[in-house]
Amino acid sequence: MSELKALLFDVDGTLADTEKDGHRVAFNLAFKQAGLDWDWDAALYGELLAVTGGKERIKFYLDKFNTRFTKPADLDGFVKGLHASKTEFYTQLLAEGKIPLRSGVARLINEARQAGLRLAIATTTTPENVTALLTHTLGADSLNWFEVIAAGDSVPAKKPAPDIFTWALAKMKLQPNEAIAFEDSRNGILSSKAAGLKTIITVNGYTAKDDFSQAELVLDQMGDPLNVFRVIKGEVGHRTYLDLSLVKQVFYAG
C-alpha cells in the first residue's frame, strides 16, 4: 500500500475565497486605471472562470463578451500590462487583510506540518499572488513551508490539463499515489484526476454546482470544531471538520 507523503493545494477558491472579492475587484481596479469602461460583475466573472489564468481570462472576455472592443496590435503586451496592474491591486487587497483564508485551512496546514507531511502549491495564479496570500495570512515564514510552489506559467498548459500537478510531483520526486490534492473547481479536479491524484473538494459560491463525481470527498468547507462542514459527497463517519485523520482516511480508502 502506498504511503501518504504530501498534500498539494490549489489556491484560488481553495485556500481563500479570492475570486469574487479579490481577483474580480482587482481586475476592475486595473481596468479603471487603464481608462477602460469594462466592469466584471459577480455574474459575469462566474462565466469568465470557465477559463483558467488571468491573462487567458482577459482574452476570453474580449473574444466572447466584448467583441466590439478594438484590440491593439500588440494584444499580448496589452493584456500582460493589464494583468500586471491587476496583480498589484490584488496584492494591495491582501495587505489590507480583505482576503482571509477559508475556514480550517490554516489548522489543516499546521496539522500536516506537525505530522511531517510535505506541502506544495499547484495553481494557475501567478507566483506573486501566491506569495502575497501566504505572507499576509500565514506569515512570511510560510513560504518555506511549501516545498514546491507550482504557479502561473510554470507549465504552458493550465488546468484542466494535468501539467501543473505532474510538474509539482516531479519536482518533489513523488508518484501520484503518494499525495492527495485539494481543489475547488471543475477545471481543478479535471487537472488533479488526470494527474492520477485522489482529490478532496471544498466548493465555493462559484463552483457549488460543478460536477465533482470524480472526487473522493466533497465538502462545503474544511471547517473547524465550532464551524462544522456540510458533506456533499463521501463518507466522514462522526467527523464534523476536515482534519488530518480524515484526509488519511480518504487517501487510504479503496
Side-chain angles (χ1 to χ4, degrees), residues 88-163:
E88 292 181 6
F89 282 116
Y90 178 77
T91 301
Q92 181 180 331
L93 291 171
L94 283 167
E96 294 169 355
K98 294 181 178 178
I99 311 174
L101 294 178
R102 294 186 68 183
S103 172
V105 169
R107 175 187 48 74
L108 180 62
I109 287 174
N110 282 310
E111 192 176 349
R113 290 182 63 233
Q114 291 167 10
L117 288 172
R118 299 161 69 184
L119 302 174
I121 295 292
T123 179
T124 57
T125 198
T126 65
E128 294 85 356
N129 287 344
V130 177
T131 297
L133 178 66
L134 296 178
T135 299
H136 292 298
T137 57
L138 294 172
D141 289 345
S142 65
L143 295 176
N144 298 319
W145 301 354
F146 296 87
E147 186 175 332
V148 171
I149 295 181
D153 298 323
S154 296
V155 294
K158 291 181 167 62
K159 300 174 184 178
D163 303 36

Coordinates of all heavy atoms in Angstrom, one line a residue, residues 88-163:
E88 N -0.9 44.0 -8.9 CA -0.6 45.0 -7.9 C -1.8 45.3 -7.0 O -1.7 45.4 -5.7 CB -0.1 46.2 -8.5 CG 1.3 46.0 -9.2 CD 1.8 47.3 -9.9 OE1 1.1 48.4 -9.7 OE2 2.8 47.3 -10.5
F89 N -3.0 45.5 -7.6 CA -4.2 45.8 -6.8 C -4.6 44.6 -5.9 O -5.0 44.8 -4.8 CB -5.3 46.1 -7.8 CG -5.3 47.5 -8.3 CD1 -5.1 47.8 -9.7 CD2 -5.4 48.6 -7.4 CE1 -5.1 49.1 -10.2 CE2 -5.3 49.9 -7.9 CZ -5.2 50.1 -9.3
Y90 N -4.4 43.4 -6.4 CA -4.7 42.2 -5.7 C -3.8 42.1 -4.4 O -4.3 41.8 -3.3 CB -4.6 40.9 -6.6 CG -4.8 39.6 -5.9 CD1 -6.1 39.2 -5.6 CD2 -3.8 38.8 -5.5 CE1 -6.4 38.0 -5.0 CE2 -4.1 37.6 -4.8 CZ -5.4 37.2 -4.6 OH -5.6 36.0 -4.0
T91 N -2.5 42.3 -4.6 CA -1.6 42.3 -3.5 C -2.0 43.3 -2.5 O -1.9 43.1 -1.2 CB -0.2 42.5 -4.0 OG1 0.2 41.6 -5.0 CG2 0.8 42.5 -2.9
Q92 N -2.4 44.5 -2.9 CA -2.8 45.6 -2.0 C -4.1 45.1 -1.2 O -4.1 45.4 0.0 CB -3.2 46.8 -2.8 CG -3.6 48.0 -2.0 CD -3.9 49.2 -2.8 OE1 -3.4 49.4 -3.9 NE2 -4.9 50.1 -2.3
L93 N -5.0 44.5 -1.8 CA -6.2 44.0 -1.1 C -5.8 43.0 0.0 O -6.3 43.0 1.1 CB -7.2 43.3 -2.1 CG -7.9 44.2 -3.0 CD1 -8.6 43.4 -4.1 CD2 -8.8 45.2 -2.3
L94 N -4.8 42.1 -0.3 CA -4.3 41.1 0.6 C -3.6 41.8 1.8 O -3.9 41.5 3.0 CB -3.3 40.2 0.0 CG -4.0 39.1 -0.9 CD1 -2.9 38.4 -1.7 CD2 -4.7 38.0 0.0
A95 N -2.8 42.8 1.5 CA -2.1 43.6 2.5 C -3.1 44.3 3.5 O -2.7 44.4 4.7 CB -1.1 44.6 1.9
E96 N -4.2 44.6 3.0 CA -5.2 45.3 3.8 C -6.1 44.3 4.6 O -7.0 44.7 5.3 CB -6.1 46.2 2.9 CG -5.4 47.3 2.3 CD -6.2 48.0 1.2 OE1 -7.3 47.6 0.9 OE2 -5.7 49.1 0.7
G97 N -5.8 43.0 4.5 CA -6.5 42.0 5.2 C -7.9 41.7 4.7 O -8.7 41.2 5.5
K98 N -8.2 42.0 3.4 CA -9.5 41.9 2.9 C -9.8 40.5 2.3 O -10.9 40.2 1.9 CB -9.8 42.9 1.9 CG -9.8 44.4 2.5 CD -10.1 45.4 1.4 CE -10.1 46.8 2.1 NZ -10.3 47.9 1.1
I99 N -8.8 39.6 2.3 CA -9.0 38.3 1.7 C -8.4 37.2 2.7 O -7.3 36.8 2.6 CB -8.3 38.1 0.4 CG1 -8.7 39.3 -0.5 CG2 -8.7 36.8 -0.3 CD1 -7.9 39.3 -1.9
P100 N -9.2 36.8 3.7 CA -8.7 35.8 4.7 C -8.8 34.4 4.1 O -9.4 34.1 3.1 CB -9.7 36.0 5.8 CG -11.0 36.3 5.1 CD -10.6 37.2 4.0
L101 N -8.1 33.5 4.8 CA -8.1 32.1 4.5 C -9.5 31.5 4.8 O -10.2 32.0 5.6 CB -7.1 31.3 5.2 CG -5.6 31.6 4.9 CD1 -4.7 30.8 5.8 CD2 -5.3 31.4 3.5
R102 N -9.9 30.5 4.1 CA -11.1 29.8 4.3 C -11.1 29.1 5.6 O -10.0 28.7 6.1 CB -11.5 28.9 3.2 CG -11.8 29.5 1.9 CD -12.3 28.6 0.8 NE -13.6 28.1 1.2 CZ -14.3 27.2 0.4 NH1 -13.7 26.6 -0.6 NH2 -15.5 26.8 0.8
S103 N -12.2 28.8 6.2 CA -12.3 28.1 7.4 C -11.5 26.7 7.4 O -11.7 25.9 6.5 CB -13.8 27.8 7.8 OG -13.9 26.9 8.9
G104 N -10.7 26.5 8.4 CA -10.0 25.2 8.6 C -8.7 25.1 7.8 O -7.9 24.2 8.0
V105 N -8.4 26.0 6.9 CA -7.2 25.9 6.1 C -5.9 26.0 6.9 O -5.1 25.1 6.8 CB -7.2 27.0 4.9 CG1 -5.8 27.0 4.3 CG2 -8.3 26.7 3.9
A106 N -5.8 27.0 7.7 CA -4.6 27.2 8.5 C -4.4 26.0 9.5 O -3.3 25.5 9.6 CB -4.6 28.5 9.2
R107 N -5.5 25.6 10.0 CA -5.4 24.5 11.0 C -4.9 23.2 10.3 O -4.0 22.5 10.9 CB -6.8 24.2 11.6 CG -6.9 23.0 12.5 CD -8.3 22.7 12.9 NE -9.3 22.8 11.8 CZ -9.4 21.8 10.9 NH1 -8.6 20.8 11.0 NH2 -10.2 21.9 9.9
L108 N -5.5 22.9 9.2 CA -5.0 21.7 8.5 C -3.6 21.7 8.0 O -2.8 20.7 8.2 CB -5.9 21.4 7.3 CG -5.6 20.1 6.5 CD1 -5.8 18.9 7.3 CD2 -6.5 20.0 5.2
I109 N -3.2 22.9 7.5 CA -1.8 23.0 7.1 C -0.8 22.8 8.2 O 0.2 22.1 8.1 CB -1.6 24.4 6.4 CG1 -2.3 24.4 5.0 CG2 -0.1 24.7 6.3 CD1 -2.3 25.8 4.3
N110 N -1.2 23.5 9.4 CA -0.3 23.3 10.5 C -0.3 21.9 11.1 O 0.8 21.4 11.5 CB -0.7 24.3 11.6 CG -0.3 25.7 11.3 OD1 0.9 26.0 11.1 ND2 -1.2 26.7 11.4
E111 N -1.4 21.2 11.0 CA -1.5 19.8 11.5 C -0.6 19.0 10.6 O 0.1 18.1 11.1 CB -3.0 19.4 11.4 CG -3.2 18.1 12.1 CD -4.7 17.7 12.1 OE1 -5.5 18.5 11.8 OE2 -5.0 16.5 12.5
A112 N -0.7 19.2 9.3 CA 0.1 18.4 8.3 C 1.6 18.7 8.6 O 2.5 17.7 8.5 CB -0.2 18.8 6.9
R113 N 2.0 19.9 8.8 CA 3.4 20.2 9.1 C 3.9 19.5 10.4 O 5.0 18.9 10.4 CB 3.6 21.7 9.3 CG 3.4 22.5 8.0 CD 3.7 24.0 8.3 NE 5.0 24.3 8.7 CZ 5.3 24.9 9.8 NH1 4.4 25.4 10.6 NH2 6.6 25.1 10.2
Q114 N 3.1 19.5 11.4 CA 3.5 18.9 12.6 C 3.6 17.4 12.5 O 4.4 16.7 13.2 CB 2.4 19.2 13.7 CG 2.4 20.7 14.2 CD 1.2 21.1 15.0 OE1 0.4 20.2 15.4 NE2 1.0 22.4 15.2
A115 N 2.9 16.8 11.5 CA 3.0 15.4 11.3 C 4.1 15.0 10.3 O 4.3 13.8 10.0 CB 1.6 14.9 10.7
G116 N 4.8 16.0 9.8 CA 5.9 15.8 9.0 C 5.6 15.5 7.5 O 6.4 15.0 6.7
L117 N 4.4 15.9 7.1 CA 4.0 15.7 5.7 C 4.5 16.8 4.9 O 4.7 18.0 5.4 CB 2.4 15.6 5.6 CG 1.8 14.4 6.1 CD1 0.3 14.5 6.1 CD2 2.2 13.2 5.3
R118 N 4.8 16.6 3.6 CA 5.3 17.6 2.7 C 4.2 18.3 2.1 O 3.1 17.8 1.9 CB 6.2 16.9 1.7 CG 7.4 16.2 2.3 CD 8.0 15.1 1.3 NE 8.6 15.7 0.2 CZ 9.1 15.0 -0.8 NH1 9.0 13.7 -0.8 NH2 9.7 15.7 -1.9
L119 N 4.4 19.6 1.8 CA 3.4 20.5 1.3 C 3.8 21.1 0.0 O 5.0 21.4 -0.2 CB 3.1 21.6 2.3 CG 2.6 21.2 3.7 CD1 2.5 22.5 4.6 CD2 1.3 20.5 3.6
A120 N 2.8 21.3 -0.9 CA 3.1 22.0 -2.2 C 1.9 22.8 -2.7 O 0.8 22.5 -2.2 CB 3.5 21.0 -3.3
I121 N 2.1 23.7 -3.5 CA 1.1 24.5 -4.2 C 1.0 24.1 -5.6 O 2.1 24.0 -6.3 CB 1.4 26.0 -4.0 CG1 1.3 26.5 -2.6 CG2 0.4 26.8 -4.9 CD1 -0.1 26.5 -1.9
A122 N -0.2 24.0 -6.2 CA -0.3 23.7 -7.6 C -1.5 24.6 -8.1 O -2.7 24.2 -7.9 CB -0.6 22.2 -7.9
T123 N -1.2 25.7 -8.7 CA -2.2 26.7 -9.1 C -1.9 27.3 -10.4 O -0.8 27.3 -10.9 CB -2.3 27.7 -8.0 OG1 -3.3 28.7 -8.3 CG2 -0.9 28.5 -7.8
T124 N -2.9 27.9 -11.0 CA -2.8 28.7 -12.2 C -2.5 30.2 -12.0 O -2.2 30.9 -12.9 CB -4.0 28.5 -13.1 OG1 -5.2 29.0 -12.4 CG2 -4.2 27.1 -13.6
T125 N -2.7 30.6 -10.7 CA -2.5 32.0 -10.4 C -1.0 32.3 -10.4 O -0.2 31.4 -10.4 CB -3.1 32.4 -9.1 OG1 -3.3 33.8 -9.0 CG2 -2.3 31.9 -7.9
T126 N -0.6 33.6 -10.4 CA 0.8 34.0 -10.5 C 1.5 33.7 -9.2 O 0.9 33.7 -8.2 CB 0.9 35.5 -10.9 OG1 0.4 36.2 -9.8 CG2 0.1 35.8 -12.1
P127 N 2.8 33.5 -9.3 CA 3.6 33.3 -8.1 C 3.5 34.5 -7.2 O 3.5 34.3 -5.9 CB 5.1 33.2 -8.7 CG 4.9 32.6 -10.1 CD 3.6 33.3 -10.6
E128 N 3.4 35.7 -7.7 CA 3.3 36.9 -6.9 C 2.0 36.8 -6.0 O 2.0 37.2 -4.9 CB 3.2 38.2 -7.7 CG 4.5 38.4 -8.5 CD 4.7 37.7 -9.8 OE1 3.8 36.9 -10.2 OE2 5.7 37.9 -10.5
N129 N 0.9 36.3 -6.6 CA -0.4 36.2 -5.9 C -0.2 35.2 -4.8 O -0.8 35.4 -3.7 CB -1.5 35.8 -6.9 CG -1.9 36.9 -7.8 OD1 -1.6 38.1 -7.5 ND2 -2.6 36.6 -8.8
V130 N 0.4 34.1 -5.1 CA 0.6 33.1 -4.0 C 1.4 33.6 -2.9 O 1.1 33.4 -1.7 CB 1.3 31.8 -4.6 CG1 1.6 30.8 -3.5 CG2 0.5 31.2 -5.8
T131 N 2.5 34.3 -3.2 CA 3.4 34.8 -2.2 C 2.6 35.8 -1.3 O 2.7 35.8 -0.1 CB 4.6 35.5 -2.8 OG1 5.4 34.6 -3.6 CG2 5.5 36.2 -1.8
A132 N 1.9 36.7 -2.0 CA 1.1 37.7 -1.2 C 0.1 37.0 -0.3 O -0.1 37.4 0.9 CB 0.4 38.6 -2.2
L133 N -0.6 36.1 -0.8 CA -1.7 35.4 0.0 C -1.1 34.7 1.2 O -1.5 34.9 2.4 CB -2.5 34.4 -0.8 CG -3.5 33.6 0.0 CD1 -4.6 34.5 0.4 CD2 -4.1 32.5 -0.9
L134 N 0.0 33.9 1.0 CA 0.6 33.2 2.1 C 1.2 34.2 3.1 O 1.1 34.0 4.3 CB 1.7 32.2 1.6 CG 1.2 31.1 0.7 CD1 2.4 30.3 0.2 CD2 0.2 30.2 1.4
T135 N 1.9 35.2 2.6 CA 2.6 36.1 3.5 C 1.6 36.9 4.4 O 1.8 37.0 5.6 CB 3.4 37.1 2.7 OG1 4.4 36.4 2.0 CG2 4.1 38.1 3.6
H136 N 0.5 37.3 3.8 CA -0.4 38.1 4.6 C -1.4 37.3 5.4 O -2.2 37.9 6.2 CB -1.2 39.1 3.6 CG -0.3 40.1 3.0 ND1 0.4 41.1 3.8 CD2 0.1 40.4 1.7 CE1 1.1 41.9 3.0 NE2 0.9 41.5 1.7
T137 N -1.5 36.0 5.2 CA -2.4 35.2 6.0 C -1.7 34.3 7.0 O -2.1 34.1 8.1 CB -3.3 34.4 5.1 OG1 -2.5 33.5 4.2 CG2 -4.2 35.3 4.3
L138 N -0.6 33.7 6.5 CA 0.1 32.7 7.4 C 1.4 33.2 7.9 O 2.1 32.6 8.7 CB 0.3 31.4 6.6 CG -0.9 30.6 6.2 CD1 -0.5 29.4 5.3 CD2 -1.6 30.1 7.5
G139 N 1.9 34.4 7.4 CA 3.2 34.9 7.8 C 4.2 34.7 6.7 O 4.2 33.7 6.0
A140 N 5.3 35.5 6.8 CA 6.4 35.4 5.8 C 7.1 34.0 5.8 O 7.5 33.5 4.8 CB 7.4 36.5 6.0
D141 N 7.2 33.4 7.0 CA 7.8 32.2 7.1 C 7.1 31.0 6.4 O 7.7 30.0 6.0 CB 8.0 31.8 8.6 CG 9.0 32.6 9.3 OD1 9.8 33.3 8.7 OD2 9.0 32.6 10.6
S142 N 5.8 31.2 6.1 CA 5.0 30.2 5.5 C 5.5 29.8 4.1 O 5.2 28.7 3.6 CB 3.5 30.6 5.5 OG 3.3 31.7 4.6
L143 N 6.2 30.7 3.4 CA 6.7 30.5 2.1 C 7.7 29.3 2.1 O 7.8 28.5 1.1 CB 7.4 31.7 1.5 CG 6.6 32.9 1.3 CD1 7.4 34.1 0.8 CD2 5.5 32.6 0.2
N144 N 8.3 29.1 3.3 CA 9.3 28.0 3.4 C 8.6 26.7 3.8 O 9.2 25.6 3.8 CB 10.3 28.3 4.4 CG 11.1 29.5 4.1 OD1 11.5 29.7 2.9 ND2 11.4 30.4 5.0
W145 N 7.3 26.7 4.1 CA 6.6 25.5 4.5 C 6.3 24.7 3.2 O 6.1 23.5 3.4 CB 5.2 25.8 5.1 CG 5.4 26.7 6.4 CD1 6.5 27.0 7.1 CD2 4.3 27.2 7.1 NE1 6.2 27.8 8.2 CE2 4.8 27.9 8.2 CE3 2.9 27.2 7.0 CZ2 4.0 28.6 9.2 CZ3 2.1 27.8 7.9 CH2 2.6 28.5 9.0
F146 N 6.2 25.3 2.1 CA 5.8 24.6 0.9 C 7.1 24.3 0.0 O 7.8 25.2 -0.4 CB 4.8 25.5 0.1 CG 3.5 25.7 0.8 CD1 3.4 26.7 1.7 CD2 2.5 24.8 0.6 CE1 2.2 26.9 2.4 CE2 1.3 25.0 1.3 CZ 1.1 26.1 2.1
E147 N 7.3 23.0 -0.1 CA 8.5 22.6 -0.8 C 8.5 23.0 -2.3 O 9.6 23.3 -2.8 CB 8.5 21.0 -0.7 CG 9.7 20.4 -1.3 CD 9.7 18.9 -1.0 OE1 9.1 18.4 0.0 OE2 10.4 18.2 -1.8
V148 N 7.4 23.0 -2.9 CA 7.2 23.5 -4.3 C 6.1 24.4 -4.4 O 5.0 24.1 -3.8 CB 7.0 22.2 -5.2 CG1 6.7 22.7 -6.6 CG2 8.3 21.4 -5.3
I149 N 6.3 25.5 -5.1 CA 5.1 26.4 -5.4 C 5.1 26.4 -7.0 O 5.8 27.1 -7.6 CB 5.3 27.8 -4.9 CG1 5.3 27.8 -3.3 CG2 4.2 28.7 -5.4 CD1 5.4 29.1 -2.7
A150 N 4.2 25.5 -7.5 CA 4.0 25.4 -8.9 C 2.8 26.4 -9.2 O 1.7 26.2 -8.8 CB 3.6 24.0 -9.3
A151 N 3.2 27.5 -10.0 CA 2.2 28.6 -10.2 C 2.4 29.2 -11.5 O 3.4 29.1 -12.1 CB 2.3 29.6 -9.0
G152 N 1.3 29.9 -11.9 CA 1.4 30.8 -13.1 C 1.8 30.0 -14.4 O 1.2 29.0 -14.8
D153 N 3.0 30.4 -14.9 CA 3.4 29.8 -16.2 C 4.5 28.8 -15.9 O 5.4 28.6 -16.8 CB 3.9 31.0 -17.1 CG 2.8 31.9 -17.4 OD1 1.7 31.5 -17.6 OD2 3.1 33.1 -17.5
S154 N 4.5 28.1 -14.8 CA 5.4 27.0 -14.6 C 5.3 26.0 -15.7 O 6.3 25.3 -16.0 CB 5.2 26.4 -13.2 OG 5.4 27.2 -12.1
V155 N 4.1 25.8 -16.2 CA 3.9 24.9 -17.3 C 3.1 25.6 -18.4 O 2.3 26.5 -18.0 CB 3.2 23.6 -16.9 CG1 4.1 22.8 -16.0 CG2 1.9 23.9 -16.2
P156 N 3.2 25.3 -19.6 CA 2.5 26.0 -20.7 C 1.0 25.8 -20.7 O 0.2 26.7 -21.0 CB 3.1 25.6 -22.0 CG 3.7 24.3 -21.6 CD 4.2 24.4 -20.2
A157 N 0.6 24.5 -20.3 CA -0.9 24.2 -20.4 C -1.5 24.3 -19.0 O -1.1 23.5 -18.1 CB -1.0 22.8 -20.9
K158 N -2.4 25.2 -18.8 CA -3.0 25.4 -17.5 C -4.2 24.4 -17.3 O -4.5 23.6 -18.2 CB -3.5 26.8 -17.4 CG -2.4 27.9 -17.3 CD -2.9 29.3 -17.1 CE -1.9 30.2 -16.7 NZ -0.8 30.4 -17.7
K159 N -4.7 24.3 -16.0 CA -5.8 23.5 -15.7 C -6.9 23.8 -16.7 O -7.1 24.9 -17.1 CB -6.3 23.7 -14.3 CG -5.2 23.4 -13.2 CD -5.7 23.8 -11.8 CE -4.7 23.7 -10.8 NZ -5.1 24.1 -9.4
P160 N -7.7 22.8 -17.2 CA -7.8 21.4 -16.7 C -6.7 20.4 -17.2 O -6.8 19.2 -16.9 CB -9.1 21.0 -17.3 CG -9.2 21.7 -18.6 CD -8.6 23.1 -18.3
A161 N -5.7 20.9 -17.9 CA -4.6 20.0 -18.2 C -3.9 19.5 -16.8 O -3.9 20.3 -15.9 CB -3.6 20.7 -19.0
P162 N -3.4 18.3 -16.8 CA -2.7 17.8 -15.5 C -1.3 18.4 -15.3 O -0.8 18.1 -14.2 CB -2.7 16.3 -15.8 CG -2.5 16.2 -17.3 CD -3.4 17.3 -17.8
D163 N -0.8 19.2 -16.2 CA 0.6 19.5 -16.2 C 1.1 20.1 -14.9 O 2.2 19.8 -14.5 CB 0.9 20.5 -17.4 CG 0.5 19.9 -18.7 OD1 -0.5 19.2 -18.8 OD2 1.2 20.2 -19.7

